[in-house]
Amino acid sequence: QRNEYIFTLMGEESPSVLVGLRYAPDKLHFLFWSQERAGGWQTRVTFPNVSLSDNQWHTLVLAVSGQSFSLTVDCSIPKDVVVETPFPASLSVRRASFYLGNRRRRKGVFTGLLRQLVLLPGADATPRICHAVNFKVATLSVPSVLQDVPAKPVSNEVLKYPYETDMKVTLGARPRCTKREKAQFWFNASRRGLYLCNGSTWLSMLEVQHRLDYVEEYQNLVTNSETMGIEVFTIPKVGLFAAVANRITPPGSAIYRWADGKFVHYQNIPTHQAQSWKYFTIGKKIFLAVANFEQNERGQEFSVIYKWSRRKAKFITYQRISTHSARDWEAFVIEGEAFLAVVNHREGNNHNIDSVIYRWNPRTGLFETNQTIPTSGAYDWEFFTIGPYSFLAVANTFNGTSTKIYSHIYIWLSGSFQLFQSILTFGAADWEVFRIGDRVFLAVANSHSYDSGTPAPSNFYAINSSIYELNITAQMFVKFQDLLTYSALDWEFFSVGDDSFLVVANSFDGFTFSVNSIIYRWQGYEGFVSAHHLPTVGCRDWEAFHTAEGSYLFYSSAKEPLSKVLKLKTT
């Protein structure tokens, strides 16, 4: 017959409750302090008709998200409350302490038994607790969800968790949609439709899942010269762009902008047998790095980082970095720090040289050498993350005598990349990491098989490229599937609706550069199965992109000054 506190969080020198849970006769009150109002303000969220004084164990799950509060008692139907004052996005707990079963004084002490109190950041724990057979006496052990330590955020932002509290779905007949139901969902079972209330009307949220039917030629893009690589990117509030790496200087390489459903010329940039471009951002800064393969007119060998000028609305030179027949750049962020890795292919006739990883120095605003990694005629870097771990894979192509060499996967440990796994490859030109459901795959494009010490094969270029899958138990990538390719130089993964695809850049079959590149469709147990054969000429690179008009594939030709945009036609 009185108020009792289950727990409170209180400042050292303040009588105010920062966060608390109070039980009153047939009611439960959740209290929190809002510092957004002048002088501070305590908000009380009340859940009525909560009866707990029956000499039985009970499991309570309270979920909080913004203005939405949900209480589930003994895994029954949740009680939902929406209030005007949201739970604060930030709440200082400096010099504050938790008090279990009281509010730091004798009055209001909890007189029942409290067996377990778990504070789970950012998620509704109901589905984790309520699957138990006897949820009223759920295990005292620490829930498994708390044993997975969250990865360190990649920036100063708070870790983002999946909030479910305010995700309420109503079933049955069409409910009302007013300001009170705003942001709530209604599932129409008869029509299999999901609708969102915007405060006055129900808006349809389900889209028809498209399936790839066929591919049609959409745009022939005449380029400055043969194109070695493509980078498609979006500059916020400006538009969609494509940077193409052209072989001949002058005129160098070009940037195209998507306008009226086509790529149109936007800017020329002087390059020296450019191999690839890499778009990346650091904070609000926008960069584009080119990998130059040859020396400039002064005999200097530089690859260049360009920065987007908002005033001039074009890319301008920002930093030159000494490279050696650079093939590729890879940009990534680890633990909030920005990195840029370059693949050095060879220095003179020596293919066994170091490739370099640069770290962004925010004080100088420049990239500085952080680590060197030995590579052999390397073509490509591929960065990816799995859980809290960061990986960097290099495609080693040629060691001076053979293309049958190991390519390596490195893992970031203690501030540097260390060898994680070595995979035998054959003139590896590209790595492509992708995910299907919870499965992680890594595909290598093998370009040719050559070894000066062994008899020549019947065809150097008709060779299997391989797909590897991460085996969690073995903690390594294991071969999943081989696919016959013809001097493959690139893989590109993309999705249409619920379907997943891989397209390979076949460049040469030993006789001609006019070779079909293949789109493979994911068929589950069968793996990837050939679905579409695309005529290409010296295909070097594929890029998939999407616009409001549809989905597209963009391929570059290393043998003619003509690249093509193909449109994916769906049903």
Side-chain angles (χ1 to χ4, degrees):
Q1 302 301 315
R2 61 182 181 181
N3 290 312
E4 298 183 355
Y5 288 88
I6 295 176
F7 83 91
T8 56
L9 173 65
M10 302 182 67
E12 187 178 284
E13 300 175 353
S14 172
S16 301
V17 175
L18 296 177
V19 180
L21 192 61
R22 187 177 76 200
Y23 177 54
D26 297 325
K27 293 180 182 178
L28 200 71
H29 304 290
F30 177 64
L31 313 173
F32 63 89
W33 189 262
S34 177
Q35 295 168 317
E36 297 175 1
R37 304 203 177 189
W41 186 273
Q42 190 172 82
T43 297
R44 182 177 68 186
V45 181
T46 299
F47 296 94
N49 303 318
V50 178
S51 181
L52 302 177
S53 300
D54 56 2
N55 294 317
Q56 300 291 326
W57 281 107
H58 296 282
T59 296
L60 307 182
V61 180
L62 176 67
V64 179
S65 177
Q67 297 172 274
S68 299
F69 301 82
S70 178
L71 176 69
T72 304
V73 180
D74 294 335
C75 295
S76 60
I77 298 174
K79 298 176 181 290
D80 300 321
V81 177
V82 178
V83 299
E84 291 186 0
T85 305
F87 190 80
S90 61
L91 183 67
S92 174
V93 294
R94 175 174 289 185
R95 301 176 69 182
S97 299
F98 278 97
Y99 295 88
L100 302 186
N102 67 88
R103 58 161 299 177
R104 202 171 55 193
R105 60 186 184 186
R106 187 168 299 176
K107 184 179 180 181
V109 170
F110 182 60
T111 58
L113 296 176
L114 182 63
R115 190 173 65 168
Q116 184 179 53
L117 176 66
V118 176
L119 301 179
L120 181 64
D124 185 348
T126 307
R128 304 181 186 275
I129 296 296
C130 292
H131 67 273
V133 175
N134 190 353
F135 48 79
K136 288 190 177 183
V137 289
T139 177
L140 189 63
S141 62
V142 177
S144 60
V145 66
L146 294 181
Q147 298 182 13
D148 296 327
V149 181
K152 186 176 178 181
V154 297
S155 67
N156 289 328
E157 297 178 5
V158 176
L159 277 170
K160 295 178 175 61
Y161 291 86
Y163 288 89
E164 303 107 339
T165 311
D166 50 357
M167 179 69 171
K168 303 302 174 188
V169 181
T170 302
L171 297 175
R174 186 185 186 93
R176 67 178 182 173
C177 175
T178 65
K179 288 184 178 180
R180 183 174 180 81
E181 288 79 32
K182 186 176 181 179
Q184 302 302 303
F185 287 87
W186 164 51
F187 182 71
N188 186 333
S190 61
R191 295 188 177 183
R192 296 184 180 179
L194 183 65
Y195 300 87
L196 173 69
C197 175
N198 67 356
S200 59
T201 60
W202 291 102
L203 304 177
S204 177
M205 299 300 294
L206 279 181
E207 291 184 335
V208 176
Q209 290 294 343
H210 296 286
R211 291 183 62 86
L212 179 59
D213 189 15
Y214 62 95
V215 180
E216 70 173 4
E217 188 173 297
Y218 182 78
Q219 181 184 2
N220 287 325
L221 188 67
V222 178
T223 53
N224 293 339
S225 62
E226 300 92 326
T227 301
M228 309 304 290
I230 307 168
E231 179 82 343
V232 177
F233 56 93
T234 299
I235 298 178
K237 299 181 181 180
V238 181
L240 179 72
F241 293 83
V244 300
N246 295 128
R247 189 176 65 85
I248 296 177
T249 301
S253 298
I255 297 173
Y256 298 85
R257 183 179 181 181
W258 186 264
D260 298 324
K262 302 280 186 179
F263 279 116
V264 295
H265 185 271
Y266 186 81
Q267 181 183 354
N268 271 337
I269 294 181
T271 55
H272 303 277
Q273 201 166 325
Q275 299 296 299
S276 64
W277 288 97
K278 186 63 182 181
Y279 171 85
F280 62 97
T281 61
I282 300 176
K284 294 183 179 180
K285 299 181 178 67
I286 296 172
F287 297 99
L288 194 60
V290 66
N292 284 322
F293 194 73
E294 295 292 347
Q295 299 175 347
N296 61 19
E297 55 278 353
R298 298 179 182 177
Q300 302 166 318
E301 195 170 346
F302 290 110
S303 291
V304 184
I305 302 170
Y306 298 88
K307 181 176 179 289
W308 175 257
S309 168
R310 289 177 171 84
R311 184 175 62 85
K312 296 181 179 180
K314 67 177 184 179
F315 286 96
I316 58 175
T317 301
Y318 184 80
Q319 183 180 357
R320 292 181 175 87
I321 295 180
S322 177
T323 53
H324 303 287
S325 298
R327 287 283 191 184
D328 180 55
W329 284 106
E330 181 73 317
F332 50 91
V333 174
I334 299 177
E335 298 176 351
E337 293 192 277
F339 294 84
L340 195 61
V342 68
V343 161
N344 287 321
H345 182 67
R346 59 175 169 80
E347 187 173 4
N349 291 323
N350 181 18
H351 290 80
N352 301 302
I353 60 173
D354 286 339
S355 291
V356 186
I357 300 169
Y358 300 89
R359 186 196 302 257
W360 174 258
N361 185 330
R363 185 178 59 82
T364 62
L366 297 172
F367 281 99
E368 300 172 354
T369 300
N370 181 72
Q371 182 181 357
T372 59
I373 293 180
T375 53
S376 297
Y379 254 70
D380 178 61
W381 283 117
E382 179 80 349
F383 175 82
F384 57 97
T385 59
I386 300 174
Y389 300 103
S390 298
F391 297 86
L392 192 61
V394 65
N396 284 325
T397 308
F398 183 59
N399 64 5
T401 59
S402 177
T403 62
K404 184 180 178 181
I405 57 177
Y406 283 94
S407 292
H408 305 294
I409 304 169
Y410 298 89
I411 185 172
W412 179 266
L413 293 174
S414 303
S416 66
F417 282 103
Q418 301 178 29
L419 184 62
F420 173 76
Q421 183 179 353
S422 299
I423 295 177
L424 186 63
T425 53
F426 300 84
D430 177 64
W431 284 109
E432 176 83 354
V433 68
F434 57 94
R435 290 168 170 81
I436 299 177
D438 295 330
R439 303 168 70 176
V440 181
F441 296 90
L442 194 58
V444 64
N446 287 322
S447 64
H448 60 292
S449 177
Y450 168 78
D451 191 324
S452 61
T454 60
S458 58
N459 192 325
F460 290 100
Y461 306 98
I463 183 173
N464 283 335
S465 290
S466 301
I467 301 170
Y468 298 85
E469 182 179 5
L470 178 66
N471 185 310
I472 298 294
T473 304
Q475 294 188 345
M476 64 185 297
F477 285 92
V478 297
K479 184 175 289 189
F480 172 78
Q481 184 178 4
D482 284 327
L483 294 170
L484 180 62
T485 54
Y486 298 90
S487 192
L489 298 178
D490 182 56
W491 284 109
E492 180 78 357
F493 177 80
F494 64 97
S495 299
V496 177
D498 290 332
D499 295 327
S500 299
F501 298 89
L502 271 178
V503 60
V504 66
N506 284 327
S507 64
F508 184 61
D509 65 2
F511 307 97
T512 178
F513 293 102
S514 297
V515 186
N516 284 339
S517 291
I518 312 295
I519 295 178
Y520 298 90
R521 181 194 299 271
W522 172 252
Q523 295 285 113
Y525 183 70
E526 298 175 72
F528 284 93
V529 176
S530 175
H532 301 275
H533 295 244
L534 310 177
T536 54
V537 179
C539 188
R540 178 65 182 85
D541 192 20
W542 282 103
E543 283 278 282
F545 67 96
H546 309 276
T547 72
E549 295 88 3
S551 299
Y552 304 85
L553 288 175
F554 192 176
Y555 100 82
S556 68
S557 171
K559 289 300 172 181
E560 60 181 12
L562 182 71
S563 294
K564 292 180 183 288
V565 179
L566 310 177
K567 189 169 186 177
L568 305 180
K569 303 297 289 185
T570 59
T571 57

